Amino acid sequence: MPHRTTRTHVVGPRGRGTHRLVADAVRAAQPGDTVVVAPGRYEEALELARRIVLVAEQGPGTVVLAAPPGGAPALAVLGPDCLLRGLELEGADPGDPAVTVAAGAGLVLDHCTVTGGRIEVRGPEGAEPGDFREGEEGTSAVLLRDCRLTGARHAALRLSGGARVRIESTTVADIDGVGAVLAGTARLDVTGLRLESTTGSGIRLRGRSRLRMTDSRLTSPGRAGLLLEDTAHALVTTTRIETPGTAGLHLGGESHADLTDSRVLRPAASALVLQDAARLTADGCTVTAPGANGLLATGTARAGLTDCRLEDCGFSAVHLADRAEASFTDCRVRRGAEHGFHVAGSAGLALTDSTVSGIALTGVAVTDEARATVTGCRIDTAHTGVSVASPAGSRIDRSTVVGAARAGLEVSSGGRAVLTGNRVTGAGAAGLLFDAGSEATVEGGSVEGGSGSGVVVWTGARPVISGLRIDGTGRNGVYFAEGAGGLLTSCDLVGTRLPALHLAAGAAPRLRRCRVLDCPAPFGGDGSAAPVLEQCDLDGAPLAFVGALHPPAAPAAPGVPALPGAPLVPLPPGVGAGAPLPPAAAPAELPTAEPEEEHLDDLLAELATLVGLERVKHDVHSMVKLMQAVRLREEAGLPAPPLSRHLVFAGNPGTGKTTVARLYGRLLKALGLLRRGHLVEVDRSALVGEYVGHTGPRTAAAFNRALGGVLFIDEAYSLAPESGGHDFGQEAVATLVKLMEDHRDDVVVIAAGYPADMARFIGSNPGLSSRFTRTLLFEDYSAADLVAIVEHQAREHRYELTGPARLRLLGHFETLPRGAGFGNGRSARQTFQEMTERQAQRMAEAVTPTPDQLSTLEPADLPAPALG
C-alpha cells in the first residue's frame, strides 16, 4: 500500500487561510497531518480523535483556544499521539476541565498554557501502577513540556484510573486547590516542575498511585507539599518544598515515600509527618525551620533517615509516638526549641553516628514505654544530654555529651538503661544522674570536668558501674544521696574539687578495686553511711572508711545548677524526663562546655552585618589588628606594647552595646587572648550587697563567673552615684579593680552606660582610669537603621513589608520623639511587635486570608501615630 503524504492545513482570518475555524481544519485533517493556526482567539470546543499536530503559527502566546460557555472543555483528546505546540487553552469555568484526555488517548503539550480549568486524564481501569526502577524512563499517555498551568479551581491536574503523565520543565501556579491529584493506579513522572501558590496541597496521591519527581520546586502550597494516602508511593529526588501551609510531606495509610537530596524549608507545621502504617526513607535531605517538629511519626509508621539535617525546629526535632519506629544514621540536628529526639508511647529510635547540638531541652528524651539505642553520637550544648524515663530498656553506646547545662546522661525514676563507653564533658550539674527507682548499668567511659558532680545516685537508686573514669569535676566524683547504693567496680576518681565520694545518711554503696587520686579527701557527708570497700586505694595506699567524714563543703558558687554535690540539695520531684528545671533552680548563667572554635574572619563578617554602628565597627577592627600584632610579637619573642583590653561602651539604651560585647569576647577567644570568650552580664544589683561585708563576695562571685571571658557591667555609673558619701558601690569598684589586676590576662571588663555619666564613673577611682583607656561611642540609630532592624525582625519571623509600608515606617521613625523613653533598637523591636499585633487583628476580620496576606505587613499595620 503506497505511503500517504502528510498535509498542512492553515487556520486564519478571511483572505489568509483555508479554514476559519480550528475545528474545520481538524475535521479535514488525516492522521499525521499538521494544522497551523494564525494568531487570534478562537472560541471553540475542540475534539481530537486522530493523530494530528496542532501548532501556533507565530509561537507561544499568539493563539488562544477558549472553551465556549456550556461546560465542554477547550480540548478533548479521544485518540492517540496528538501534539499541540505553542497554544493557550482556556477553560470556561475554573472548576471544570479545560483539557480532557480519554482512556487510551495520547497527548503532547509543548510550550502550551492551560488556564481557567484543569487538565483531566483518565486511564484504563485495572491497570497496574508498576514499580520505579533505576534508569527507567517510563511511558506517558500525556506529556507536558515547558508548559504553564494556572487559574484552575479544585486541581490543576487530575489523573485517574491507570493514567500515565510525564511533566518536564513546567510551571503550575495560582491554583485554588491542589496542584495535582492522583487516584487509582495513576502514575506521574515529573522533572523540573515549578509549583507555586496553591491553596491546597501541592500534589496529592490516593489509591495505588505513583509519583516520581526530580529537580523540582514546590513553593507556598496552602497545605502539605506532598500528601500521600492509602498505598500511594512517591520517589522524590533533588526537590525543594518551601513554606508549605502545613507539612512539607504528609504520609498516611500504608503510603511510602523515598526522598533523596531534597529540602523542606520553613513549613508552618511539622516538616515530615507519618501516620498510620506509612513508611519514609530519606537520604541526604535537609529540614529547615519548621514551625513544629522536623519529623513527627505516629501509629505504626516507619522512617529511616541517612545523612540528613534537621535545623531550627519550633518543637522537638523528632517526635515518635504510639508504636512508630525510626532510624537515623549520620544525621545532624541543630538548634531546637524543645528536644532533639522525643521518643514516647511505645515507639523505638535507633540513632547512630549522628550529632545533636544547640537544643533547649534534652538531646534524646525517652519516656512512657519507649526505647532508644544511641550509638556513636555527639550531643552538644543541651539542657540534658540523654534522659531515659522508660522501663522498656535503652542503650547509649560510645557517645559523647558536651556542655549539658544539667545532666549529661540521666536515667529517671522508672527508667532502665545500659550506658557503655560514653564520654561526658563539661556538665553543669551531673555527668551521670540516676534517679530514685531507676535501673542502670554503666560499662566504661568517662566523666570529665564540669561544674557539678561526676555521678549523682539518688535515694533508692542502685546503679551498677564498672570501668568508669571521673576526672576533674567541679564537685564530688560520686554523690550518694540518703539511702542510695549501687556497685562500683574498677572505677577511677581523679582530681575532683570536693571529696571524691559524698555519702549521705544511710548510703551503702559497694566499691571494688576503685582508685581515688589527687582529690581533696576520699569521703564527705554523713558518718552514718555504710559503704563496703574491697581492694580500693587512695593515692596508692589502701582506702578505708572510718566513719569520721569531712564536713559538707560550702554551697556551690552562684551559677551552679541546684543538683546534689555537697551539701545535699534535693532534686525536685518529676524533674528528669527532659523537662526544664523550675525557675528557682535554673540560674541565669549555667556553666557550659568550651564553645566550638570560631574563625576570626567569620566573626568579623558577623560584625559587619550589624545594623548601623559604623564607628564602633571601625574601632573594633582597629583593636583586632592591634591585638593580632601583639600576638605576633609575643610569638616572635619580642616584648608586647602596653595594651588594655578593658573598654567603656558609652551610648544610650538599645544601641547594641550588649550584642557587640558578646561578639568582642568571641573575637578575643578566636585571637587566642581569652580561654572561653563567654559573656557574663551584671548590673549594680548583682554586685552591691545590702549590708556590710556582703558586697565584696558578691562582686567576686560575679567576676569569677566571667573568668576566661567578658564581664559586662550595665549602667556601671550607678556604682559611683553623683551624691557621693558612703555607698557600697565604692566597695564593688575597689573589689573590681583588685580582681582586674589579679586576673589581668584572664578576663575583660566592659563598663557600659550613658555617655554623660561614664566619664564620672571612670574618674571615681584612679584604678579605673588607668585600666579603661579606650571608649567606644555607640551613636543612636538613624531612621533608616531602625527600618533595617524591623525588616530583620520581619525576616526572622517570616513576615515581609510592602514597599508602601517600608516608606511609611521610615516616616514614622523620622518623626518619632527621641526623649527619655526612646529605646533605639528596642523601640524598633517594639514597633515590629505592634505591627504584627495590628496585622493579626486585621487578618481576624478577613474571611479566608491567603498565606501571602498572613505574612505581609501593610501601611495599615503601623502604629497609630504614624498614620496621622
Side-chain angles (χ1 to χ4, degrees):
M1 199 173 164
H3 178 73
R4 190 184 71 83
T5 302
T6 60
R7 300 171 53 199
T8 298
H9 306 266
V10 178
V11 179
R14 186 178 302 278
R16 289 194 57 201
T18 305
H19 302 283
R20 304 292 174 261
L21 297 177
V22 180
D24 291 342
V26 168
R27 281 191 291 269
Q30 296 299 310
D33 286 356
T34 298
V35 175
V36 178
V37 185
R41 180 181 178 86
Y42 301 83
E43 193 169 298
E44 303 182 46
L46 194 63
E47 288 189 356
L48 301 182
R50 296 183 293 278
R51 182 169 59 88
I52 292 176
V53 177
L54 195 62
V55 181
E57 181 184 36
Q58 296 186 19
T62 62
V63 175
V64 177
L65 185 62
L75 175 67
V77 182
L78 308 177
D81 301 329
C82 298
L83 168 64
L84 272 69
R85 180 177 293 121
L87 275 69
E88 181 173 330
L89 305 169
E90 183 180 299
D93 187 318
D96 292 334
V99 177
T100 61
V101 181
L107 172 67
V108 175
L109 294 179
D110 186 9
H111 288 84
C112 292
T113 297
V114 179
T115 183
R118 67 181 175 272
I119 297 177
E120 188 165 293
V121 184
R122 300 182 184 91
E125 298 296 332
E128 289 299 318
D131 295 323
F132 297 118
R133 293 185 295 274
E134 189 69 28
E136 179 186 6
E137 292 297 329
T139 59
S140 301
V142 175
L143 170 63
L144 278 64
R145 181 186 296 119
D146 294 303
C147 293
R148 181 178 178 85
L149 281 58
T150 183
R153 189 168 62 242
H154 305 314
L157 180 66
R158 179 177 291 172
L159 283 61
S160 61
R164 298 289 185 271
V165 175
R166 183 174 180 83
I167 294 177
E168 298 175 358
S169 303
T170 289
T171 297
V172 177
D174 301 321
I175 305 301
D176 185 11
V178 180
V181 176
L182 284 67
T185 58
R187 173 167 167 170
L188 176 63
D189 284 270
V190 175
T191 300
L193 172 67
R194 297 295 180 265
L195 187 146
E196 305 167 355
S197 300
T198 63
T199 61
S201 296
I203 300 177
R204 182 179 183 184
L205 286 76
R206 296 181 295 181
R208 293 189 292 156
S209 58
R210 299 289 186 265
L211 168 69
R212 179 164 60 182
M213 182 160 58
T214 304
D215 296 333
S216 296
R217 187 167 184 166
L218 313 184
T219 303
S220 299
R223 296 189 64 78
L226 297 176
L227 174 61
L228 278 68
E229 303 168 280
D230 305 324
T231 58
H233 180 197
L235 182 64
V236 180
T237 305
T238 56
T239 290
R240 292 165 64 100
I241 302 175
E242 299 185 31
T243 60
T246 57
L249 176 66
H250 191 140
L251 306 178
E254 297 180 9
S255 62
H256 178 203
D258 297 286
L259 270 65
T260 304
D261 297 329
S262 296
R263 302 186 69 182
V264 179
L265 307 176
R266 300 179 300 279
S270 295
L272 308 172
V273 177
L274 283 67
Q275 296 177 317
D276 308 320
R279 293 178 296 139
L280 168 70
T281 60
D283 190 349
C285 297
T286 299
V287 168
T288 302
N293 306 113
L295 182 144
L296 170 64
T298 61
T300 58
R302 299 289 183 269
L305 280 74
T306 303
D307 188 25
C308 292
R309 304 292 181 264
L310 288 78
E311 303 173 336
D312 300 306
C313 298
F315 294 171
S316 297
V318 175
H319 184 93
L320 308 177
D322 300 330
R323 290 179 292 154
E325 300 274 347
S327 65
F328 292 78
T329 303
D330 191 25
C331 292
R332 184 168 184 176
V333 172
R334 296 194 301 174
R335 298 181 302 272
E338 293 186 356
H339 304 294
F341 293 81
H342 188 186
V343 195
S346 299
L349 167 69
L351 184 63
T352 306
D353 297 334
S354 298
T355 300
V356 182
S357 62
I359 300 300
L361 298 182
T362 304
V364 179
V366 187
T367 61
D368 302 329
E369 301 292 325
R371 66 200 182 283
T373 300
V374 180
T375 306
C377 295
R378 179 184 174 96
I379 300 172
D380 197 341
T381 318
H383 186 268
T384 297
V386 178
S387 174
V388 178
S390 164
S394 295
R395 292 190 64 94
I396 316 299
D397 296 333
R398 295 179 288 103
S399 295
T400 300
V401 179
V402 178
R406 186 174 186 271
L409 302 175
E410 172 183 350
V411 184
S412 299
S413 180
R416 186 163 64 90
V418 176
L419 316 177
T420 305
N422 300 294
R423 180 172 180 248
V424 178
T425 67
L432 309 181
L433 170 61
F434 304 111
D435 206 350
S438 63
E439 182 180 337
T441 300
V442 179
E443 300 172 359
S446 64
V447 177
E448 303 166 15
S451 302
S453 295
V455 177
V456 173
V457 183
W458 207 243
T459 300
R462 301 285 189 273
V464 177
I465 303 173
S466 63
L468 179 68
R469 180 181 176 89
I470 302 169
D471 193 343
T473 56
R475 303 179 85 176
N476 304 111
V478 183
Y479 177 97
F480 290 97
E482 294 183 3
L487 173 63
L488 275 67
T489 303
S490 301
C491 295
D492 289 345
L493 291 77
V494 182
T496 60
R497 184 168 175 266
L498 299 183
L501 297 161
H502 179 94
L503 303 170
R510 181 182 294 270
L511 282 73
R512 295 175 179 166
R513 298 184 300 280
C514 293
R515 298 188 302 172
V516 176
L517 304 169
D518 299 325
C519 296
F523 301 106
D526 192 301
S528 66
V532 176
L533 307 179
E534 302 174 8
Q535 301 178 13
C536 298
D537 65 65
L538 170 63
D539 295 320
L543 175 63
F545 178 77
V546 295
L549 300 184
H550 296 272
V560 177
L563 261 181
L568 175 62
V569 181
L571 184 68
V575 174
L581 288 170
E589 292 108 14
L590 290 172
T592 60
E594 296 295 325
E596 292 183 1
E597 292 297 326
E598 296 181 290
H599 296 291
L600 183 63
D601 290 344
D602 295 336
L603 294 173
L604 291 174
E606 184 177 340
L607 175 68
T609 64
L610 297 181
V611 174
L613 305 177
E614 299 305 323
R615 182 172 174 179
V616 170
K617 294 176 188 176
H618 178 270
D619 290 344
V620 172
H621 270 278
S622 298
M623 288 187 292
V624 167
K625 292 178 181 177
L626 176 60
M627 293 173 188
Q628 286 177 308
V630 169
R631 190 177 64 175
L632 290 173
R633 287 181 61 87
E634 290 176 339
E635 291 174 353
L638 299 173
L643 173 66
S644 176
R645 298 175 296 179
H646 309 301
L647 298 173
V648 173
F649 282 7
N652 291 324
T655 50
K657 296 188 293 294
T658 306
T659 300
V660 174
R662 184 173 288 109
L663 190 53
Y664 183 64
R666 293 161 60 198
L667 284 164
L668 293 180
K669 170 68 164 57
L671 286 166
L673 300 177
L674 283 177
R675 290 184 291 111
R676 295 181 59 196
H678 66 296
L679 182 80
V680 174
E681 184 178 0
V682 298
D683 57 12
R684 177 185 169 93
S685 65
L687 303 177
V688 177
E690 300 173 359
Y691 51 83
V692 174
H694 192 201
T695 295
R698 199 167 191 173
T699 301
F703 191 93
N704 288 336
R705 294 201 303 276
L707 288 176
V710 176
L711 178 66
F712 182 85
I713 308 173
D714 198 17
E715 298 181 345
Y717 55 84
S718 64
L719 297 175
E722 292 182 87
S723 59
H726 182 71
D727 182 88
F728 289 138
Q730 297 174 5
E731 182 183 352
V733 171
T735 303
L736 283 169
V737 169
K738 183 179 185 306
L739 290 170
M740 289 167 69
E741 177 62 25
D742 294 342
H743 302 276
R744 65 170 66 93
D745 296 325
D746 199 29
V747 76
V748 167
V749 178
I750 296 177
Y754 291 102
D757 294 315
M758 290 308 297
R760 186 189 76 249
F761 168 70
I762 298 302
S764 68
N765 186 297
L768 293 178
S769 58
S770 65
R771 287 169 176 80
F772 291 95
T773 59
R774 183 186 291 266
T775 297
L776 271 60
L777 180 61
F778 287 69
E779 299 173 343
D780 288 344
Y781 287 117
S782 68
D785 290 337
L786 297 174
V787 171
I789 293 172
V790 171
E791 290 191 298
H792 175 76
Q793 291 283 306
R795 288 191 297 271
E796 289 265 317
H797 294 83
R798 293 172 56 190
Y799 287 91
E800 184 175 353
L801 276 71
T802 64
R806 192 176 296 108
L807 290 175
R808 188 72 63 85
L809 184 62
L810 181 63
H812 168 76
F813 285 130
E814 287 174 342
T815 59
L816 190 67
R818 298 204 173 201
F822 180 68
N824 279 289
R826 184 174 65 248
S827 295
R829 291 186 289 273
Q830 289 170 345
T831 298
F832 169 71
Q833 181 178 350
E834 186 172 350
M835 291 175 71
T836 60
E837 292 171 354
R838 292 170 67 88
Q839 190 250 26
Q841 294 174 0
R842 185 163 56 82
M843 290 297 100
E845 298 172 3
V847 179
T848 54
T850 66
D852 283 345
Q853 289 174 318
L854 290 170
S855 60
T856 301
L857 296 174
E858 302 281 357
D861 301 324
L862 264 72
L867 299 176

